[in-house]
Amino acid sequence: MTTSKEISKVRDPRYPFTAIVGSEDLKLALILNAVSPRVGGVLVRGEKGTAKSTIVRALAALLPAVEVVDGCRFSCDPAAPDPECPDGPHEVRTGAARPARLVELPVGASEDRLAGSLDIERALTEGVKAFEPGLLAAAHRGVLYVDEVNLLHDHLVDLLLDAAALGTCYVEREGVSVRHAARFLLVGTMNPEEGELRPQLLDRFGLTVEVRASREPSQRAEVVRRRLAFDAGPEGFATRWSERERALAARIAEARARVAGVVLPDAALRQIATVCAAFEVDGLRADLVTANAAIAHAAWQGRTAVTADDVREAARLALPHRRRRDPFDAPGLDESELEDLLSRVPDEPDDDPDPEDPDPGDPDPGGPGGGGSAEDGSGGEDPGGVGAVEDGPGGDGSGVEGTRPTSPGAADTGPGGAGAPSSGAGPAPDPERGPGATRRDQAFDADPARPARLFTVPGIGAGAPGRRSRARTPLGRTTGARTPEGRPASLHLKATVGAAAPYQLGRGRSGPGLLLRREDLREAVREGREGNLVLFVVDASGSMAARQRMRAVKAAVLGLLLDAYQRRDKVGLVTFRGTRADLVLPPTSSVEAGAARLRDLPTGGRTPLAAGLLRAAEVLRVERLRDPARRPLVVLVTDGRATSGTVEESHRAAGLLAGVTGVVVDCENGHVRLGLARSLAERMGAETVRLDDLADLAGMIRERRAAA
């Protein structure tokens, strides 16, 4: 159990968990994982500035202490030490208690830092092979926290997936072969505006919570009041909340001791199976996570058997992110449907069920969100409960309010609420659309997204790691070694040893250590894949709306957006119609925001093709200054017509994009075709692809090869 002495020993006090205002679902999800690590972790989704990181870091002070073998770098349990521990075997099973660790994984960490690697210093100076543990070893039996987990590089995601699935970290590199236990509570926070997670990693999080700031002025004022008080005196503020922190830590420890004795009745198990089957979640992991979360919730509420209320809370947290069928779908759960499903399966077996029976499971007044008082809703009478966090000594502190989405569509899919469904009508008339534009603006729904061809940027770049074009990256397969210009980014051990070996006698080597000089160092050269900036330039004029052609256009671009999502690209969206071009979506990692903008895109008016190309050139110029290493790929979707301006102006504007890798999606149809899009592509030096051929399976496996 975490003691008051351990809490007071924190030199840099974290913001108290019990001082957070609101965010009840998040606090409950974290507490359920603290009660039973078998729940499988928490993914926290929310807009920026909602204290996601603050509340996760505050959890560490509440976790029960762990017994570890003295001197073991891998936190072995004295009662059951790992027989294959690299620091073992542990003959004497004695240990000492230490606080549970919260280990943070930086987004830019290297693979060696996460999994561990050969201790280079000892290898070169002492001539021995020694293993230096990584963050996975430090997080064993604790919490591994990843802020901005959706921005984590794919090579780190792969390592996390392996460790989460096996509970073991395997390291096979540079002559080192090591395995050690790596069982941890995985907690990740993310802002959906910056992109989504890979489906495999998303499924590894047991629970998910959507956090949003309160729109209630009084609660927002309380957030600011508490935060200002904490900033003015962190230690004093933490002291004022220490009693509640101790009470909550004690309650978590009691629930953890109780969880092994909680019974999961067959009726509750049938409810779990019914709910998971009805919501059509993939696989059986959802059933297992929901069962473990329901057991933990029952233990948290002091019950010895799981009830319908426990199943309800567990399903509400465990299923939303497992219902996604498309990467652009926002997580969500229809709670009215959940209630209906639970009512179909009674709490107790009944040979002759009465259809008029009321909804099973009498809700616990202190249930969802934890242990508060039913009279005032604040939980002020139970300092150890989650509901107690909104009241505090002096009423000063900080935190943030989180509200629960009321429907699957409530989740924000992009900046500015771009996820809102389209009403089917275009915006108000635009005086800049130009003369003769009498057609009413329309917003066509998109056909289902189609798989798209793979387009790549020729050559070898050096941009951010991704999955599209060839690049020299800090990751990937090693293709050689080179002399570094400055400090080596990644030491190539064999090449370094090979460079130093011929000079050992001349340098007077007499012991096992290798005598190195700076000129001996060699840097590994690795080749992998990079993510690109994919800029979509879409013609939204009236000619594209003819015969509802825009439905097919949107479907094709959605397919390309899906491809960009899978390949970790940044995307931007420029549209042109009337007399101007607009940057509808500035370049961002949130491909979902691009999909939302595209679905609601109105069409109509003249075709200012030159304006669209000029705007695209300006966007690329600005992005080249911001991120010069990220190479662009322009996807122009048009039929080539220019009814606002002249063809010559369009060709001159296209010449500004001549040095950029481009693809022109020719949307011209009908029996008579003018070939305007093909002519435009020639001026851009771009490849031309017909709209109907964009999803050609033969093209999907054909990759453009690098040009010298």
Side-chain angles (χ1 to χ4, degrees):
M1 181 186 303
T2 304
T3 65
S4 59
K5 182 178 180 181
E6 290 166 354
I7 293 177
S8 64
K9 284 171 64 178
V10 180
R11 296 181 180 178
D12 184 14
R14 292 189 176 99
Y15 194 90
F17 188 91
T18 51
I20 300 289
V21 178
S23 299
E24 303 303 330
D25 282 351
L26 173 54
K27 286 179 283 194
L28 177 61
L30 291 171
I31 286 174
L32 293 183
N33 276 273
V35 170
S36 175
R38 299 180 65 181
V39 172
V42 184
L43 174 64
V44 188
R45 298 165 48 90
E47 56 197 17
K48 50 187 173 293
T50 49
K52 301 185 296 293
S53 301
T54 299
I55 191 170
V56 171
R57 293 188 176 101
L59 175 70
L62 304 177
L63 296 176
V66 295
E67 293 282 338
V68 297
V69 174
D70 288 332
C72 179
R73 298 174 297 167
F74 301 89
S75 302
C76 280
D77 187 350
D82 183 0
E84 299 185 31
C85 175
D87 284 354
H90 302 296
E91 299 293 342
V92 181
R93 299 185 178 183
T94 61
R98 64 159 175 79
R101 291 172 178 164
L102 175 71
V103 178
E104 298 193 34
L105 171 59
V107 170
S110 66
E111 184 176 343
D112 291 346
R113 184 71 185 100
L114 178 61
S117 65
L118 178 69
D119 190 329
I120 299 295
E121 181 178 357
R122 293 191 62 190
L124 296 179
T125 59
E126 301 177 21
V128 298
K129 290 195 300 184
F131 179 69
E132 184 176 2
L135 295 178
L136 290 179
H140 179 48
R141 304 177 65 200
V143 179
L144 182 63
Y145 171 49
V146 189
D147 194 13
E148 305 294 349
V149 64
N150 51 326
L151 304 181
L152 201 62
H153 294 314
D154 283 342
H155 70 295
L156 299 182
V157 171
D158 294 338
L159 287 174
L160 278 182
L161 288 173
D162 289 341
L166 303 174
T168 304
C169 175
Y170 291 91
V171 181
E172 300 282 350
R173 64 168 65 90
E174 296 168 341
V176 174
S177 179
V178 173
R179 65 152 299 281
H180 63 81
R183 292 182 293 274
F184 46 81
L185 170 61
L186 180 62
V187 179
T189 55
M190 59 173 284
N191 183 351
E193 295 179 2
E194 297 173 340
E196 283 290 349
L197 281 177
R198 282 173 53 182
Q200 298 92 332
L201 182 58
L202 181 66
D203 190 51
R204 285 294 172 184
F205 285 97
L207 310 179
T208 186
V209 179
E210 192 86 19
V211 179
R212 295 188 181 183
S214 172
R215 301 301 186 256
E216 177 60 39
S218 61
Q219 291 182 337
R220 296 175 73 96
E222 183 64 15
V223 168
V224 175
R225 184 180 299 112
R226 295 187 185 184
R227 185 72 218 187
L228 292 176
F230 176 78
D231 292 340
E235 294 185 359
F237 185 85
T239 300
R240 291 197 296 273
W241 288 88
S242 60
E243 288 298 326
R244 293 182 178 232
E245 291 285 284
R246 284 192 293 269
L248 183 55
R251 185 178 173 187
I252 290 174
E254 292 169 0
R256 178 176 283 195
R258 186 186 302 120
V259 72
V262 175
V263 177
L264 178 64
D266 287 343
L269 184 56
R270 286 196 301 273
Q271 286 181 328
I272 292 172
T274 299
V275 168
C276 293
F279 282 129
E280 298 181 345
V281 295
D282 294 332
L284 293 173
R285 182 174 287 118
D287 303 64
L288 293 171
V289 170
T290 305
N292 283 320
I295 292 171
H297 189 267
W300 172 246
Q301 295 297 330
R303 291 189 280 269
T304 58
V306 173
T307 67
D309 179 62
D310 301 317
V311 175
R312 179 184 301 106
E313 291 302 303
R316 194 170 55 78
L317 298 173
L319 300 185
H321 61 299
R322 292 184 165 87
R323 297 195 64 206
R324 297 177 65 189
R325 288 294 176 268
D326 186 279
F328 302 143
D329 293 339
L333 193 71
D334 188 337
E335 295 194 24
S336 62
E337 185 180 354
L338 174 61
E339 292 292 339
D340 180 62
L341 291 169
L342 291 175
S343 67
R344 296 179 190 177
V345 184
D347 263 341
E348 300 295 335
D350 192 346
D351 295 334
D352 185 19
D354 184 358
E356 300 299 324
D357 281 347
D359 190 9
D362 184 21
D364 183 4
S373 170
E375 287 76 18
D376 60 10
S378 68
E381 299 300 319
D382 183 9
V386 182
V389 300
E390 294 190 15
D391 299 325
D396 52 0
S398 178
V400 77
E401 165 69 6
T403 58
R404 182 189 313 165
T406 57
S407 67
D412 189 6
T413 58
S422 172
S423 63
D430 186 352
E432 296 189 26
R433 288 172 54 198
T438 58
R439 178 187 296 274
R440 175 181 172 82
D441 291 352
Q442 302 176 65
F444 292 105
D445 294 332
D447 291 336
R450 301 179 297 179
R453 280 182 49 185
L454 170 61
F455 298 103
T456 64
V457 179
I460 300 180
R467 292 185 169 186
R468 183 172 297 277
S469 305
R470 295 174 60 196
R472 303 289 188 193
T473 66
L475 319 167
R477 62 187 181 91
T478 301
T479 59
R482 64 187 174 194
T483 302
E485 296 180 359
R487 183 176 180 180
S490 177
L491 188 67
H492 194 296
L493 183 59
K494 292 183 179 179
T496 299
V497 172
Y503 306 103
Q504 295 304 296
L505 291 178
R507 294 174 183 175
R509 173 184 170 183
S510 58
L514 195 66
L515 298 180
L516 288 179
R517 294 180 180 174
R518 182 173 183 81
E519 58 267 23
D520 300 328
L521 299 180
R522 296 295 182 269
E523 184 179 56
V525 177
R526 294 190 173 101
E527 182 176 313
R529 294 278 172 175
E530 67 177 0
N532 298 113
L533 167 61
V534 182
L535 180 63
F536 294 92
V537 186
V538 180
D539 184 348
S541 64
S543 64
M544 296 292 289
R547 301 186 184 92
Q548 295 192 350
R549 193 187 330 168
M550 203 62 187
R551 293 181 183 273
V553 169
K554 287 186 175 183
V557 178
L558 280 173
L560 291 168
L561 278 169
L562 178 60
D563 181 66
Y565 163 82
Q566 295 169 337
R567 302 187 187 282
R568 297 296 186 263
D569 295 317
K570 289 181 68 174
V571 297
L573 178 61
V574 172
T575 64
F576 54 94
R577 67 188 187 102
T579 60
R580 68 184 187 189
D582 297 310
L583 180 59
V584 177
L585 180 71
T588 175
S589 296
S590 178
V591 181
E592 299 78 12
R597 295 288 199 276
L598 183 71
R599 288 192 179 105
D600 298 335
L601 179 66
T603 61
R606 292 183 175 272
T607 311
L609 180 55
L613 296 172
L614 289 173
R615 190 59 186 272
E618 176 62 18
V619 171
L620 294 181
R621 184 189 68 80
V622 173
E623 286 302 309
R624 192 175 296 115
L625 296 175
R626 292 177 177 171
D627 190 357
R630 189 180 290 268
R631 298 185 294 164
L633 172 65
V634 175
V635 180
L636 174 62
V637 184
T638 181
D639 57 7
R641 290 182 172 85
T643 59
S644 178
T646 65
V647 174
E648 289 75 15
E649 290 176 345
S650 301
H651 283 189
R652 284 198 299 269
L656 298 176
L657 301 173
V660 179
T661 302
V663 177
V664 176
V665 181
D666 186 358
C667 300
E668 190 178 24
N669 61 5
H671 296 292
V672 179
R673 298 182 179 179
L674 304 178
L676 298 176
R678 183 176 297 277
S679 175
L680 191 68
E682 292 175 356
R683 295 298 298 266
M684 293 174 56
E687 178 181 356
T688 304
V689 180
R690 292 206 51 78
L691 180 62
D692 297 335
D693 298 333
L694 192 61
D696 184 9
L697 292 179
M700 290 174 60
I701 62 175
R702 179 174 60 86
E703 187 174 340
R704 294 173 62 190
R705 295 302 179 185

